[in-house]
Each structure stands twice: as structure tokens, then as C-alpha cells.
């Protein structure tokens, strides 16, 4: 069996005296489209930050394609939550997308070369926004901005794409378009998707895990009622077949 593209082993994270992640183990393989779901504050973004090396765990290890350190993490592309971007900053779409190459330039002073420009044009085309390349990022619609953020993550030619709630601000048709783009990208890279959008899981995702401080994994894309109850700490009814797929939660008064 090939080595996992991401391997998280016995990771624990404590922030300001609180345990945010505990005994987390996760293996993502090259052909995975992995969804991580779970309640607000469950630790999903924290786990992505640990994988990206932006946050040091109190214990445990993270390996990317068997390696650790900054060189291994260059294999990761990251699409942070939409709300973390400042779209008012005066920058064109092309300038924003090419900035994803900065971490790959080792010479100083940092200057973009032919490969950086070529990869930028390819990513713009791949995301269907080549015609918007000279527009200011602030003048784009939310869905177009979202594509630009993904293009920026793709210019590093990652082996794994990590996305944190990418469809929060887009309408249903744009989200559907977005998932068909992810389906295409899967041919080139593994995908880890943090989402509250459980409805997309049966159609697009190959494996799913529920995170609420601890990670409850499953080898298929089936979300079991046990997993949901363990992660959400409340009885959950799942309508797993039929469209739309929905999760209803029932909380008792003490919850
Ligand atoms: N820098 C920090 N200092 C202290 N606590 C933090 C810090 N970052 C996150 N936390 C806490 O860690 C917990 C997990 O946060 P995280 O953002 O990982 O959750 P999440 O599952 O991504 O939530 P959501 O679905 O709401 O985006 C939360 O209780 C949050 O308040």
C-alpha cells in the first residue's frame, strides 16, 4: 500500500488551557476525497492548521508524504475560510493567484519567473476565470472570488488540497459547479474538505470523519448515526438516501 499523503498520529492540541484536539489519528491517501464534518468549535480548522504546520500540537506527529517540515508541506494547497480574506485590498485576480507561488521561490530577492507565470495562467484557466484575470478582486462576485482563492491554492501544484468550508457564501448552483470542479481536481490530487454541507457527501466524497475534539473516522463515505451522535453529543436523525440529504438534531434541555 502506498504511504498516506497525510498521516496524523496521536495529535493533541491545547489552547489557553483547553484541550481542542485529543488523540486524533487520520490517514489521507492519494485517491481520497475526505470530508471532515462536526459541530462549531469542534476543532476542524485547528486540525487543518496542525496539518499545515501553522500550529504546533502539544504532542503527536504529522507527516506529509512520509516527511515532516516545511519542504514536505509544500505539497499542500490550502483554501482558508472565505471570511479570512480581505477582498477590498487593491489587487488584480492574476496578482492574487500568483501570490500562491511565493512559498515556492527560494532565491532572493523574490521575483516571479516563467514557471510561476505559466502555472498562474494554467490555474486561472482550470478555474474558468482567465477572462477575469485583470479585474480587481474586490469587483468579483462571491463565487468568482471563491474560484480565485482556489486557483491561488493550485499554483503550487499541490498533492493535497485542503479546503475550509468553501461553499458557505455561494448559492446552490454555484456550489454545484464548485463540486464538479473538485471532482475534476481529484484526478490530480487528494482533497480534504471541512464542511457543514452534509448533503454533498454521498455524491462526491469517498471517506468521511466527524470531529468534536476527538475524530470519529469511517472507511467509506457513509455517515453513521453512531458517528454523528458521538461527535455532536446529541441524538441525530439522518436521512441518508433521497435528495436533499439532511441532518436533524434534537437537543435535550440540559444541552
Ligand atoms: N488561538 C486560539 N486560542 C484559543 N482558543 C482557540 C484558538 N483557536 C481556536 N480556539 C478554540 O478551539 C476550538 C476549536 O476551534 P476551531 O476553529 O478549530 O473549530 P471549528 O470546528 O473549525 O469550528 P467552526 O465549525 O465554527 O468553524 C474553539 O473552541 C475555539 O474557540
Amino acid at each position: 500500500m502506498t504511504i498516506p499523503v497525510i498521516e496524523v498520529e496521536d495529535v493533541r492540541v491545547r489552547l489557553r488551557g483547553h484541550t481542542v484536539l485529543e488523540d486524533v489519528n487520520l490517514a489521507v491517501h492519494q485517491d481520497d476525497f475526505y470530508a471532515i464534518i462536526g459541530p462549531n468549535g469542534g476543532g476542524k480548522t485547528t486540525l487543518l492548521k496542525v496539518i499545515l504546520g501553522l500550529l504546533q500540537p502539544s504532542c503527536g506527529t504529522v507527516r506529509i508524504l512520509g516527511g515532516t517540515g516545511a519542504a514536505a508541506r509544500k505539497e499542500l494547497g490550502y483554501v482558508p475560510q472565505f471570511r479570512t480574506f480581505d477582498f477590498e485590498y487593491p489587487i488584480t485576480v492574476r496578482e492574487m493567484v500568483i501570490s500562491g507561488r511565493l512559498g515556492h521561490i527560494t532565491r532572493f530577492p523574490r521575483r516571479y519567473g516563467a514557471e510561476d507565470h505559466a502555472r498562474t495562467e494554467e490555474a486561472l484557466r482550470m478555474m474558468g476565470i482567465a477572462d477575469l484575470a485583470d479585474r480587481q478582486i474586490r469587483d468579483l462576485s462571491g463565487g468568482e472570488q471563491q474560484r480565485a482563492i482556489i486557483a491561488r491554492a493550485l499554483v503550487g501544484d499541490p498533492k493535497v488540497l485542503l479546503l475550509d468550508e468553501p461553499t458557505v457564501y455561494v448559492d446552490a448552483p454555484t456550489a454545484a459547479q464548485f463540486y464538479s470542479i473538485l471532482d475534476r481536481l481529484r484526478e490530480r490530487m487528494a482533497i480534504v474538505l471541512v464542511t457543514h454541507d452534509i448533503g454533498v457527501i454521498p455524491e462526491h466524497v469517498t471517506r468521511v470523519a466527524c470531529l468534536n475534539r476527538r475524530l470519529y473516522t469511517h472507511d467509506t463515505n457513509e455517515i453513521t448515526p453512531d458517528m454523528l451522535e458521538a461527535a455532536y453529543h446529541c441524538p441525530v436523525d439522518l436521512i441518508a438516501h433521497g435528495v436533499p440529504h439532511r441532518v436533524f438534531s434534537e437537543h435535550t434541555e440540559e444541552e
Side-chain angles (χ1 to χ4, degrees), residues 15-16 18-21 38-47 49 55 81 83 164-165 194 196 211:
L15 295 171
R16 293 177 202 257
H18 294 281
T19 302
V20 176
L21 297 179
N40 290 135
K44 301 179 294 299
T45 300
T46 304
L47 177 58
K49 286 183 178 168
L55 193 66
Q81 285 190 8
R83 66 181 169 85
D164 198 349
E165 296 185 35
V194 164
H196 291 287
L211 182 60

Side-chain angles (χ1 to χ4, degrees), residues 141-200:
S141 74
E144 291 163 344
Q145 286 170 339
Q146 187 61 277
R147 285 174 190 226
I149 299 171
I150 297 168
R152 181 173 171 273
L154 294 179
V155 287
D157 198 20
K159 298 272 189 314
V160 193
L161 185 63
L162 306 163
L163 305 112
D164 198 349
E165 296 185 35
T167 51
V168 171
Y169 295 105
V170 297
D171 61 21
T174 309
Q177 235 175 33
F178 168 78
Y179 283 109
S180 71
I181 290 171
L182 289 190
D183 285 340
R184 262 192 290 130
L185 291 177
R186 265 199 66 205
E187 292 162 19
R188 304 164 61 137
M189 63 198 73
I191 294 177
V192 177
L193 171 74
V194 164
T195 185
H196 291 287
D197 191 0
I198 292 175
V200 305

Side-chain angles (χ1 to χ4, degrees), residues 82-135:
F82 211 62
R83 66 181 169 85
T84 61
F85 281 87
D86 177 7
F87 290 109
E88 287 308 311
Y89 193 78
I91 191 171
T92 67
V93 174
R94 181 179 280 110
E95 286 165 343
M96 182 188 156
V97 172
I98 202 171
S99 70
R101 290 291 302 169
L102 280 173
H104 294 260
I105 303 175
T106 47
R107 60 191 177 276
F108 285 93
R110 284 184 171 166
R111 223 175 268 138
Y112 297 123
E115 188 186 352
D116 304 316
H117 290 290
R119 285 200 184 279
T120 300
E121 298 310 311
E122 188 194 359
L124 287 165
R125 271 197 308 276
M126 207 188 297
M127 296 309 297
I129 50 171
D131 55 330
L132 305 176
D134 295 318
R135 297 253 304 267

